[in-house]
Amino acid sequence: MGAMAAAGVTSPARIKLKDLVAIDGLSSQDYKIAVASLSQSLRNFNAAIIQVPQPDDVLLRCVLDSVRMFFHSKPMVGADNVRAEDPQNWNRTAGYYAEPQHFREVFDYRPGRMNVEGAVVTELPPTGLPELFAILGNATRVCLDAIACSLEMRSFSFTDLLDNMPLKPGEMATSVLSSCCHNRPGAHHPANLLTSEQGALQLYEEDADKGLLTLMKSDKPGLQIRDLQGRWFVVDADLGPQDMILYTGTSLYQATGGYLSPSFHRTDNNADLSQAQGSIHLGRCTVAFKLMPRATAILHCSAMTAAGHAIGSPFQHPVAVHDFMQRTQTMDQLLARPGVPTFSFTAPVEVFVPATSQLKAAMKRKKQVSRGKPLAPSKRLRLEAQRVLKERVQEIADAKGLKIRYCNLKECEEQHLNAAQSPCGHLREAMNWPVGVPFVHPHDLPNKAKQAFLEAYEPGWSANQDSELGMVEVVQDQHGQMLP
């Protein structure tokens, strides 16, 4: 494992997956170093090398061999295998298809989506895909939690974006295990399958995944990633049997408010073909697990705000995942986004916490928020109400087995609150809902009602907010008086 804090580091860090697994209690020194190395590597190189446990590399090698033979046995690509790009179906691809415009063939495995919607698989898929899906799915979740830790967010802050684990009956996975073969000899795509624009494709094709994280293994080098300095480097050269490439997508970029840049990558579309002349060549095969957000989830930065990070204006409004996936953003657009702060990861260290830690934490949040656009009181109330809803109200409902069904604001104010019997009366009583506050989603409550809601489930909330602000202002005044 390379410590990225060391001077002269010129390649992504190699990090053991087992060192990134969080446990209850105090974090170990190995965990601190692993998290710091991961965050620095993603910061400087937009990629990291994750070393999976030794038993898993055997399955990984077997799947890669099976993928290679699967594609090698396929006939020349026909028009019936070509899939047109459809942003509406970003989470529905399954089975075998070809993308001649990208010079590749793909086999997507999604649990719960195979043999549905009339697309019955009549051929044997590559071996070991369900087992590898489970292993890599767990690995990417571990890496995602480590990234949240490096950003000082609460544990499992991104869990609400992910599929259920395990999937419930009838559910279909959004994440995908994608097997791919680039430039397979004998499958050179006929000219009639390519338009003139696709046929004139450049030597390199630059792209960024739209998911959260991607964990990829290839049988030959060929993947290039753009680092912090704008330089392209081959990231999958000299990989060991246990090494896999981890890189980030635009969904994680959105969910972290721009603090974690998406990894722009490209593949030389002609390199394999030139190497194949006069030699036995099977193309370049890859297996990639893409951790995707649920289509019904919402990308928001409330967890980042709660951690004290200043969020720029392009990221302050929540966006539905399905709508986000429809957007087309070029590399220039993402790199040129205004108001995105630069975040520098630092290695965790053991420190002595004095008695004034609460004051220092308040000053830190005040300082970070002051760097960007300050939150309006109404927005802060809304974020706090959403937090209490998740941490307090939902916990009470789950413990009592209650299913929350909110009322209409106007109807509840005018009819339910003053009625002896109302549709929401038993729920308000069971959940200790504050008296006089309509039983609607806290997001829709008026500001005064939001304050009553917060005081009911967190007594002293208003006083804590005022005292925290007062402490910061007093210390700032004292500091200003000491300056010459």
Side-chain angles (χ1 to χ4, degrees):
M1 175 196 316
M4 297 304 298
V9 177
T10 58
S11 61
R14 271 184 167 83
I15 306 159
K16 294 181 180 178
L17 180 64
K18 67 180 183 67
D19 291 339
L20 291 173
V21 178
I23 58 174
D24 285 334
L26 297 176
S27 56
S28 66
Q29 191 64 24
D30 287 342
Y31 179 77
K32 293 178 182 179
I33 295 174
V35 170
S37 299
L38 174 64
S39 56
Q40 283 284 11
S41 187
L42 292 176
R43 162 84 177 142
N44 295 327
F45 300 101
N46 289 319
I49 300 175
I50 303 298
Q51 295 181 323
V52 299
Q54 195 164 13
D56 296 340
D57 73 319
V58 178
L59 175 62
L60 188 59
R61 185 171 64 252
C62 291
V63 171
L64 259 179
D65 291 341
S66 177
V67 165
R68 189 183 302 111
M69 297 310 299
F70 172 82
F71 287 113
H72 184 59
S73 63
K74 300 291 292 183
M76 179 179 289
V77 174
D80 56 336
N81 297 126
V82 175
R83 181 179 70 90
E85 293 188 5
D86 184 4
Q88 292 289 337
N89 294 325
W90 61 272
N91 61 334
R92 299 192 178 192
T93 57
Y96 172 80
Y97 59 92
E99 294 180 327
Q101 69 275 22
H102 299 304
F103 299 93
R104 67 189 178 198
E105 301 165 87
V106 183
F107 187 95
D108 282 346
Y109 173 77
R110 275 191 168 95
R113 198 167 290 279
M114 310 302 288
N115 297 332
V116 297
E117 300 177 0
V120 179
V121 178
T122 58
E123 58 187 351
L124 291 176
T127 304
L129 296 185
E131 294 79 9
L132 189 61
F133 184 97
I135 290 173
L136 299 187
N138 180 69
T140 50
R141 286 173 183 254
V142 167
C143 294
L144 191 62
D145 288 338
I147 291 172
C149 177
S150 71
L151 291 170
E152 300 181 355
M153 302 167 70
R154 287 184 57 85
S155 303
F156 313 113
S157 292
F158 298 112
T159 303
D160 61 325
L161 299 177
L162 305 178
D163 289 330
N164 284 317
M165 188 176 68
L167 293 171
K168 295 180 179 179
E171 283 188 334
M172 300 179 184
T174 307
S175 298
V176 60
L177 182 61
S178 186
S179 307
C180 183
C181 185
H182 297 264
N183 297 322
R184 176 172 64 93
H188 302 329
H189 312 295
N192 61 348
L193 295 182
L194 293 174
T195 66
S196 58
E197 294 180 355
Q198 295 168 345
L201 201 64
Q202 296 180 353
L203 177 65
Y204 292 109
E205 183 183 3
E206 300 169 357
D207 194 14
D209 287 0
K210 287 200 169 185
L212 296 165
L213 290 175
T214 299
L215 199 56
M216 190 274 294
K217 179 75 171 180
S218 61
D219 62 349
K220 295 181 181 67
L223 179 67
Q224 297 184 8
I225 286 184
R226 187 182 188 274
D227 66 10
L228 182 64
Q229 306 301 325
R231 298 168 297 195
W232 294 91
F233 67 99
V234 179
V235 70
D236 56 348
D238 302 323
L239 293 184
Q242 298 173 251
D243 295 342
M244 298 190 72
I245 305 299
L246 178 77
Y247 53 92
T248 56
T250 56
S251 294
L252 189 58
Y253 172 69
Q254 180 73 25
T256 58
Y259 279 78
L260 207 59
S261 300
S263 301
F264 290 97
H265 53 82
R266 67 186 188 186
T267 303
D268 186 347
N269 288 321
N270 294 331
D272 289 338
L273 292 177
S274 61
Q275 295 173 4
Q277 296 175 358
S279 62
I280 299 177
H281 182 72
L282 300 179
R284 175 176 172 269
C285 292
T286 63
V287 175
F289 181 90
K290 300 180 180 182
L291 186 66
M292 306 291 291
R294 294 180 295 109
T296 56
I298 303 294
L299 292 172
H300 57 87
C301 299
S302 57
M304 289 288 290
T305 303
H309 298 297
I311 302 302
S313 56
F315 307 96
Q316 290 182 355
H317 300 289
V319 57
V321 168
H322 190 68
D323 295 338
F324 180 80
M325 293 298 177
Q326 313 307 312
R327 299 179 180 177
T328 55
Q329 296 172 322
T330 64
M331 183 171 67
D332 292 337
Q333 289 174 329
L334 289 171
L335 293 177
R337 271 197 170 182
V340 179
T342 301
F343 185 74
S344 177
F345 294 103
T346 56
V349 293
E350 293 286 350
V351 295
F352 172 72
V353 181
T356 58
S357 60
Q358 182 181 4
L359 173 61
K360 289 188 175 182
M363 291 184 65
K364 179 181 178 182
R365 288 194 295 271
K366 180 73 175 179
K367 182 178 179 181
Q368 288 172 332
V369 171
S370 64
R371 293 175 184 170
K373 182 180 179 181
L375 290 177
S378 59
K379 184 173 181 63
R380 185 171 183 177
L381 273 175
R382 186 166 64 251
L383 291 175
E384 285 292 293
Q386 290 175 345
R387 177 185 62 80
V388 171
L389 174 65
K390 290 182 179 180
E391 296 180 2
R392 301 284 191 272
V393 179
Q394 193 61 51
E395 182 179 349
I396 296 174
D398 293 341
K400 296 185 177 182
L402 301 174
K403 185 176 180 180
I404 303 177
R405 297 186 65 179
Y406 293 110
C407 304
N408 175 270
L409 176 60
K410 185 176 181 180
E411 182 180 357
C412 193
E413 282 182 329
E414 296 178 354
Q415 302 177 18
H416 298 174
L417 290 181
N418 300 322
Q421 292 184 350
S422 64
C424 61
H426 67 288
L427 283 174
R428 285 189 280 124
E429 181 179 358
M431 298 175 61
N432 297 323
W433 195 264
V435 178
V437 175
F439 191 69
V440 300
H441 194 285
H443 185 278
D444 300 325
L445 287 173
N447 288 343
K448 190 173 181 180
K450 282 192 180 78
Q451 291 180 347
F453 169 80
L454 290 168
E455 283 287 346
Y457 290 102
E458 283 194 356
W461 179 86
S462 299
N464 289 337
Q465 299 297 311
D466 295 339
S467 62
E468 178 181 295
L469 183 60
M471 284 193 298
V472 173
E473 292 175 346
V474 168
V475 173
Q476 287 180 338
D477 292 341
Q478 293 175 351
H479 181 68
Q481 294 173 2
M482 290 187 292
L483 292 176

